[in-house]
Amino acid sequence: MLTHFSGNIFCTVEPGHIFVIGGKTLDGAAKVDINLSSGKSEEAPVPLTLSVRFHENIIVRNTSYEDGSWGEEERDDNLDPFAVPNPLIAGENFKVYILVGDSKFHIAVNGRPYCTYMFRTSLEDIRAIIVTNDVQVVNQVDHRQSYPTPHPLLQYDEPRLAFTNDVPKPFSPGHIIVITAIPYGNPRGLFIIRFTEGETKKQALHFNPRFDPQVVVRNSMNDNLNFLQEERDGEFPFVIDQQFKLAFAFTSSEFRFAINGDLFGQFSYRSANVLDVMNGFKISVGNGLQLEVTGVDHMNMGSPDCEGFETYSHPDVAIM
């Protein structure tokens, strides 16, 4: 299955930020592009592209500009002395780690240093992450902070997740997240989107669509990691093999949900100052269901009550 990913990032990029992008390439892949871009349109400038060319056995690094021109490619330049030209293998999993330094990106691939790349544009120009071409799945798009204060405090990768999306700073009222995805596989399966608190496993929100019986369970945990009272109201809006757009809005007092342009419901915060301690979200699947995540967009409504946020979950509304 061929897929792609595009999404607007959480906040302005600063030195000390980290991007971790993971997935799997197609068997016989010819090319994979991983872009830190200024937008999601095809014409948007790209401050950093990592273009994996399997037939050339190289990862090309470059920058494109507002006039549509590309800079000079880097191929052999600034490689780690022990790096092979292309550590990725077609048909296998990959993980690309990009640390933002004071003047350059420090890039590692599959756990080994690969190269550095000097900034050619302002870090403020980076607003989106796009992964395209011969990709089978994208299961990790984490944006973290290592300096001056780590966020999340503990940064680690959990195996066997359908998707993970850490953020580098605390949430604030007015923030929304729009997830675009397609469920497929066992029509009796389920998926879970969980927002955890800090470095603990305590779930501030457990959002669990179950296809058999068709119900969306919302819950949270107490300090002993026991689930509290479930909430199950609302019609079941998800369909196997059909794309959905699911928006989470963060207000001063509650989560709000919208699906495909319609308001779905809300869930009151059950912990004090919960927005200050959440790290992002993780998605897991069960009972043979699979979930192809093709986009995660972060936005700020500019209003703490997120009035009108459901519009951004409409299938016909493009978030650029």
Side-chain angles (χ1 to χ4, degrees):
M1 177 184 295
L2 181 69
T3 191
H4 72 279
F5 177 91
S6 65
N8 291 318
I9 62 176
F10 182 87
C11 63
T12 301
V13 178
E14 301 171 359
H17 282 197
I18 299 167
F19 294 99
V20 186
I21 301 162
K24 185 177 182 180
T25 60
L26 289 173
D27 291 335
K31 182 181 181 183
V32 171
D33 288 334
I34 300 173
N35 294 338
L36 301 186
S37 179
S38 63
K40 293 166 59 180
S41 71
E42 293 184 359
E43 298 78 20
V46 180
L48 172 63
T49 184
L50 301 174
S51 184
V52 185
R53 316 277 179 86
F54 289 93
H55 295 332
E56 299 180 59
N57 193 34
I58 190 67
I59 300 178
V60 174
R61 292 84 65 195
N62 208 342
T63 296
S64 73
Y65 302 94
E66 291 186 0
D67 62 2
S69 66
W70 284 90
E72 183 177 353
E73 291 183 347
E74 292 188 10
R75 291 173 172 248
D76 300 322
D77 319 64
N78 303 312
L79 285 181
D80 183 87
F82 299 104
V84 297
N86 178 20
L88 275 68
I89 298 175
E92 295 192 3
N93 294 321
F94 67 87
K95 188 167 295 183
V96 175
Y97 179 102
I98 304 171
L99 169 64
V100 182
D102 291 328
S103 60
K104 56 189 173 184
F105 300 103
H106 301 260
I107 300 165
V109 179
N110 293 340
R112 294 180 177 273
Y114 180 72
C115 72
T116 59
Y117 185 83
M118 297 294 296
F119 302 155
R120 297 185 185 179
T121 64
S122 170
L123 293 178
E124 294 181 355
D125 293 338
I126 300 172
R127 301 186 184 94
I129 295 176
I130 301 173
V131 184
T132 59
N133 292 315
D134 299 330
V135 182
Q136 179 176 327
V137 64
V138 176
N139 55 23
Q140 182 173 10
V141 182
D142 285 327
H143 182 184
R144 300 166 174 167
Q145 178 173 286
S146 63
Y147 175 85
T149 303
H151 192 95
L153 183 60
L154 297 180
Q155 301 180 6
Y156 59 94
D157 299 334
E158 295 184 46
R160 297 182 296 277
L161 286 177
F163 194 79
T164 172
N165 188 243
D166 288 344
V167 297
K169 296 179 184 295
F171 290 102
S172 60
H175 193 89
I176 67 170
I177 300 174
V178 182
I179 301 171
T180 305
I182 303 171
Y184 65 96
N186 186 359
R188 295 184 175 181
L190 58 88
F191 66 92
I192 300 168
I193 303 175
R194 52 185 170 89
F195 291 82
T196 56
E197 298 186 20
E199 66 275 17
T200 72
K201 294 183 179 181
K202 180 182 177 182
Q203 297 183 38
L205 174 63
H206 177 95
F207 188 92
N208 176 203
R210 303 174 184 176
F211 285 80
D212 185 24
Q214 293 190 339
V215 62
V216 180
V217 174
R218 288 88 71 194
N219 209 338
S220 64
M221 290 178 171
N222 61 23
D223 291 339
N224 295 322
L225 305 185
N226 296 316
F227 280 109
L228 302 172
Q229 182 67 38
E230 290 183 349
E231 297 183 12
R232 291 173 167 239
D233 57 299
E235 296 184 3
F236 191 79
F238 301 99
V239 180
I240 291 290
D241 295 327
Q242 290 190 18
Q243 178 176 281
F244 65 82
K245 290 176 72 175
L246 168 61
F248 291 88
F250 305 88
T251 73
S252 300
S253 59
E254 63 186 7
F255 301 97
R256 294 180 184 170
F257 318 114
I259 303 172
N260 295 336
D262 295 323
L263 185 66
F264 177 74
Q266 58 282 320
F267 185 85
S268 296
Y269 302 146
R270 293 176 175 176
S271 299
N273 303 316
V274 68
L275 295 184
D276 294 335
V277 294
M278 288 194 306
N279 300 326
F281 68 89
K282 312 289 185 185
I283 302 178
S284 56
V285 294
N287 296 344
L289 187 85
Q290 300 296 320
L291 194 68
E292 177 187 355
V293 179
T294 61
V296 175
D297 289 296
H298 290 270
M299 303 172 58
N300 197 293
M301 296 290 294
S303 171
D305 62 4
C306 298
E307 182 178 357
F309 83 97
E310 58 270 20
T311 300
Y312 295 100
S313 71
H314 195 283
D316 296 333
V317 174
I319 303 173
M320 303 305 292

CSV table of all heavy atoms in Angstrom, one decimal, residues 11 14 16 24 52 60 77 107 111 135 139 145-146 180 185 193 205 220 222 245:
chain,number,residue,atom,x,y,z
A,11,CYS,N,4.6,24.1,16.7
A,11,CYS,CA,5.0,25.5,17.0
A,11,CYS,C,6.2,25.8,16.2
A,11,CYS,O,6.8,25.0,15.5
A,11,CYS,CB,5.3,25.7,18.5
A,11,CYS,SG,6.7,24.6,19.1
A,14,GLU,N,12.9,25.8,17.1
A,14,GLU,CA,13.9,26.6,17.8
A,14,GLU,C,15.1,25.6,17.9
A,14,GLU,O,15.0,24.4,17.9
A,14,GLU,CB,13.5,27.0,19.1
A,14,GLU,CG,12.2,27.9,19.1
A,14,GLU,CD,11.7,28.2,20.5
A,14,GLU,OE1,12.2,27.6,21.5
A,14,GLU,OE2,10.7,28.9,20.6
A,16,GLY,N,17.5,23.2,19.7
A,16,GLY,CA,17.2,22.3,20.8
A,16,GLY,C,16.0,21.5,20.5
A,16,GLY,O,15.7,20.5,21.2
A,24,LYS,N,8.0,2.8,7.1
A,24,LYS,CA,8.5,1.7,6.4
A,24,LYS,C,8.4,2.0,4.9
A,24,LYS,O,7.3,2.5,4.5
A,24,LYS,CB,7.7,0.4,6.7
A,24,LYS,CG,8.2,-0.8,6.1
A,24,LYS,CD,7.4,-2.1,6.5
A,24,LYS,CE,8.0,-3.3,5.9
A,24,LYS,NZ,7.2,-4.5,6.3
A,52,VAL,N,15.8,10.4,-0.4
A,52,VAL,CA,16.4,9.1,-0.4
A,52,VAL,C,16.3,8.5,-1.8
A,52,VAL,O,15.2,8.3,-2.3
A,52,VAL,CB,15.8,8.1,0.6
A,52,VAL,CG1,16.6,6.8,0.7
A,52,VAL,CG2,15.7,8.7,2.0
A,60,VAL,N,20.1,12.6,-0.7
A,60,VAL,CA,20.5,14.0,-1.1
A,60,VAL,C,19.8,15.0,-0.2
A,60,VAL,O,18.7,14.9,0.2
A,60,VAL,CB,20.0,14.2,-2.6
A,60,VAL,CG1,20.2,15.7,-3.0
A,60,VAL,CG2,20.7,13.3,-3.5
A,77,ASP,N,29.0,15.8,1.1
A,77,ASP,CA,29.4,16.8,2.1
A,77,ASP,C,28.9,16.5,3.5
A,77,ASP,O,27.8,16.0,3.7
A,77,ASP,CB,28.9,18.1,1.7
A,77,ASP,CG,28.9,18.4,0.2
A,77,ASP,OD1,28.3,17.7,-0.6
A,77,ASP,OD2,29.7,19.3,-0.2
A,107,ILE,N,21.7,15.1,11.8
A,107,ILE,CA,20.8,14.1,11.3
A,107,ILE,C,21.4,12.7,11.6
A,107,ILE,O,22.6,12.4,11.3
A,107,ILE,CB,20.6,14.3,9.8
A,107,ILE,CG1,20.0,15.7,9.6
A,107,ILE,CG2,19.7,13.2,9.2
A,107,ILE,CD1,20.1,16.2,8.1
A,111,GLY,N,19.4,5.1,14.1
A,111,GLY,CA,20.2,5.1,15.3
A,111,GLY,C,21.7,5.4,15.2
A,111,GLY,O,22.4,5.3,16.2
A,135,VAL,N,6.5,5.1,0.1
A,135,VAL,CA,6.3,4.9,1.6
A,135,VAL,C,5.1,3.9,1.8
A,135,VAL,O,4.0,4.2,1.3
A,135,VAL,CB,6.1,6.2,2.4
A,135,VAL,CG1,6.0,5.9,3.8
A,135,VAL,CG2,7.3,7.1,2.1
A,139,ASN,N,4.6,5.9,10.8
A,139,ASN,CA,4.0,5.6,12.1
A,139,ASN,C,4.6,6.5,13.2
A,139,ASN,O,4.3,6.3,14.4
A,139,ASN,CB,4.2,4.1,12.5
A,139,ASN,CG,5.6,3.7,12.4
A,139,ASN,OD1,6.6,4.5,12.5
A,139,ASN,ND2,5.8,2.4,12.2
A,145,GLN,N,11.5,18.5,22.3
A,145,GLN,CA,12.5,19.5,22.7
A,145,GLN,C,13.5,18.9,23.7
A,145,GLN,O,13.2,18.2,24.6
A,145,GLN,CB,11.8,20.7,23.4
A,145,GLN,CG,12.7,21.8,23.9
A,145,GLN,CD,12.0,23.0,24.4
A,145,GLN,OE1,11.4,23.8,23.7
A,145,GLN,NE2,11.9,23.2,25.7
A,146,SER,N,14.8,19.2,23.4
A,146,SER,CA,15.9,18.7,24.3
A,146,SER,C,16.5,19.8,25.2
A,146,SER,O,17.1,19.5,26.2
A,146,SER,CB,17.0,18.0,23.5
A,146,SER,OG,17.6,18.9,22.6
A,180,THR,N,-6.0,13.0,10.2
A,180,THR,CA,-6.6,12.4,9.0
A,180,THR,C,-6.1,11.0,8.9
A,180,THR,O,-4.9,10.7,8.9
A,180,THR,CB,-6.3,13.2,7.8
A,180,THR,OG1,-6.6,14.6,8.0
A,180,THR,CG2,-7.0,12.6,6.5
A,185,GLY,N,-8.8,-3.3,7.5
A,185,GLY,CA,-8.6,-4.6,8.2
A,185,GLY,C,-9.8,-5.2,8.8
A,185,GLY,O,-10.9,-5.1,8.2
A,193,ILE,N,-6.7,6.3,20.8
A,193,ILE,CA,-5.9,7.5,20.9
A,193,ILE,C,-5.8,7.9,22.3
A,193,ILE,O,-6.8,8.2,23.0
A,193,ILE,CB,-6.5,8.6,20.0
A,193,ILE,CG1,-6.7,8.1,18.6
A,193,ILE,CG2,-5.6,9.9,20.1
A,193,ILE,CD1,-7.5,9.1,17.7
A,205,LEU,N,-6.8,11.3,28.6
A,205,LEU,CA,-7.9,11.0,27.7
A,205,LEU,C,-7.6,9.7,27.0
A,205,LEU,O,-6.5,9.5,26.4
A,205,LEU,CB,-8.0,12.1,26.6
A,205,LEU,CG,-9.1,11.8,25.5
A,205,LEU,CD1,-10.5,11.7,26.2
A,205,LEU,CD2,-9.1,12.9,24.5
A,220,SER,N,-10.6,8.3,31.3
A,220,SER,CA,-9.3,8.7,31.8
A,220,SER,C,-8.9,7.9,33.0
A,220,SER,O,-9.7,7.0,33.5
A,220,SER,CB,-9.4,10.2,32.2
A,220,SER,OG,-10.3,10.4,33.3
A,222,ASN,N,-7.1,7.5,37.0
A,222,ASN,CA,-6.7,8.1,38.3
A,222,ASN,C,-5.2,7.9,38.5
A,222,ASN,O,-4.5,7.3,37.7
A,222,ASN,CB,-7.5,7.7,39.5
A,222,ASN,CG,-7.4,6.2,39.7
A,222,ASN,OD1,-6.4,5.5,39.3
A,222,ASN,ND2,-8.3,5.6,40.4
A,245,LYS,N,-11.7,12.6,9.3
A,245,LYS,CA,-10.9,13.7,9.9
A,245,LYS,C,-11.5,13.9,11.3
A,245,LYS,O,-12.7,14.2,11.4
A,245,LYS,CB,-11.0,15.0,9.0
A,245,LYS,CG,-10.2,14.9,7.7
A,245,LYS,CD,-10.4,16.1,6.9
A,245,LYS,CE,-9.7,17.3,7.5
A,245,LYS,NZ,-9.8,18.5,6.6
